[in-house]
Amino acid sequence: MIDFASKPNRRVLARIYYGLVIIYLMYRYSTHVLLSQLQIPVLNYVNTDFTYIAFFYTGISTFLAQHHYAALAFDLLLGGTTLAAFLFPSARVLPVLFTFLLGVYEVVGYTFLCFHKHNLTGVWWCSLMFWVVDERGFTPLFYLTRYYCLFTYASAGFWKFYRHIWHLPGHFPVILKSDGLAYLVEHTDGWRTALISWLIVHPDLMNITMTVTCFIQLSFLIGFFTRRLDWFFFLYAIIFHILSFFLLQAYFLEFSVILITLIPVPILYKVKSDRP
């Protein structure tokens, strides 16, 4: 466990963060969702999000989507900036440029994918704390990011209580059926199919799981007052995202990069100096 008087080690955390982002970008390349891989899309969806609307009406979204070489240059710039930030974690300009490029990629990409997903939100928010290079400024930003991380998981519990679904019988089984149906149709055999099928025919277990999940998510509020349960919050969030992916086809592993603020491993921190 870490010494709670220690300070976060920016250099190590930056290497881990940008290293994970490189893996995420490689995965997105393999799944053909980089801007240059969208095949000049026509359909778009900005909904009521002011950021998406502003980008669309300035012409930035349309320009990148309709010009392949411009989109390719943007993808290369995003990838190159990420790699440079990984190799030179103490650089001052690279984190700011990366945040800007990632924000543009997220807005433009999901405008033409016609679905405003949240899995890159954690990556974007986490990037802000690396804007400050010196330790004195980085430490408060690190803990602000940690508070945002705790808030996101706690708010998921609040949402379930506000909508009165935390104890609604049959709600989770319906979600499992609807989200897992496509996988069950395409894969009639295998351990995932067997597990999903078994859970569907045991709705009482799913109802209990929903209730327990809501209370665990609300417990993230405890993290605002102590860091001693960070290991529990981290493990729960990782298990939650893995199960969501395998059971519900909900891919939020990219969002989980923000969980680096909860990892209680000594190598990520350095002993607080006694010098003024």
Side-chain angles (χ1 to χ4, degrees):
M1 297 296 291
I2 64 170
D3 178 6
F4 293 106
S6 58
K7 289 186 176 182
N9 190 327
R10 184 193 180 281
R11 187 178 184 87
V12 175
L13 288 166
R15 282 275 170 81
I16 294 175
Y17 170 78
Y18 290 110
L20 288 173
V21 174
I22 291 173
I23 295 174
Y24 296 156
L25 292 177
M26 293 174 61
Y27 174 77
R28 286 179 165 266
Y29 171 77
S30 67
T31 54
H32 306 282
V33 291
L34 295 180
L35 296 188
S36 60
Q37 298 175 304
L38 297 184
Q39 302 299 317
I40 309 180
V42 177
L43 298 179
N44 62 78
Y45 179 67
V46 297
N47 202 359
T48 58
D49 191 300
F50 291 123
T51 304
Y52 283 73
I53 294 173
F55 264 79
F56 185 78
Y57 282 102
T58 56
I60 297 175
S61 299
T62 303
F63 177 80
L64 288 175
Q66 300 299 321
H67 296 81
H68 172 74
Y69 289 108
L72 179 60
F74 178 88
D75 290 339
L76 292 175
L77 181 59
L78 175 60
T81 302
T82 308
L83 179 60
F86 173 79
L87 296 175
F88 308 101
S90 299
R92 294 181 179 274
V93 178
L94 293 175
V96 179
L97 179 60
F98 170 79
T99 299
F100 172 75
L101 293 173
L102 181 65
V104 173
Y105 169 70
E106 182 176 7
V107 173
V108 175
Y110 287 130
T111 293
F112 290 96
L113 288 173
C114 298
F115 185 72
H116 296 187
K117 201 171 183 180
H118 309 301
N119 53 335
L120 285 176
T121 304
V123 184
W124 190 86
W125 276 103
C126 196
S127 71
L128 296 175
M129 67 180 179
F130 295 106
W131 281 26
V132 178
V133 177
D134 63 281
E135 182 181 279
R136 185 176 181 180
F138 174 72
T139 299
L141 287 179
F142 173 85
Y143 288 113
L144 283 174
T145 306
R146 176 182 174 274
Y147 292 145
Y148 175 77
C149 174
L150 295 168
F151 163 77
T152 57
Y153 289 95
S155 64
F158 272 117
W159 184 87
K160 294 179 179 65
F161 275 93
Y162 177 76
R163 298 295 296 270
H164 302 287
I165 63 174
W166 66 278
H167 64 329
L168 182 63
H171 180 76
F172 194 14
V174 169
I175 294 177
L176 184 60
K177 292 176 184 178
S178 60
D179 291 357
L181 179 61
Y183 183 85
L184 293 177
V185 171
E186 296 176 359
H187 305 82
T188 58
D189 193 13
W191 68 269
R192 287 176 64 181
T193 299
L195 177 60
I196 295 173
S197 301
W198 184 83
L199 292 173
I200 288 176
V201 297
H202 292 82
D204 291 338
L205 178 60
M206 293 292 92
N207 294 331
I208 295 174
T209 301
M210 171 63 81
T211 303
V212 172
T213 297
C214 291
F215 280 103
I216 293 178
Q217 289 175 341
L218 283 177
S219 72
F220 274 70
L221 291 175
I222 300 175
F224 281 86
F225 308 99
T226 179
R227 295 168 59 192
R228 297 186 181 278
L229 292 180
D230 280 7
W231 63 271
F232 170 76
F233 298 142
F234 172 78
L235 290 177
Y236 164 79
I238 292 296
I239 294 173
F240 175 81
H241 288 307
I242 292 175
L243 291 179
S244 295
F245 176 72
F246 281 108
L247 299 180
L248 307 176
Q249 316 304 310
Y251 177 73
F252 278 96
L253 294 179
E254 290 171 329
F255 182 89
S256 62
V257 70
I258 202 171
L259 294 172
I260 63 175
T261 58
L262 299 180
I263 303 178
V265 178
I267 193 175
L268 301 181
Y269 297 83
K270 48 188 175 182
V271 178
K272 184 177 180 180
S273 175
D274 295 328
R275 295 180 298 176

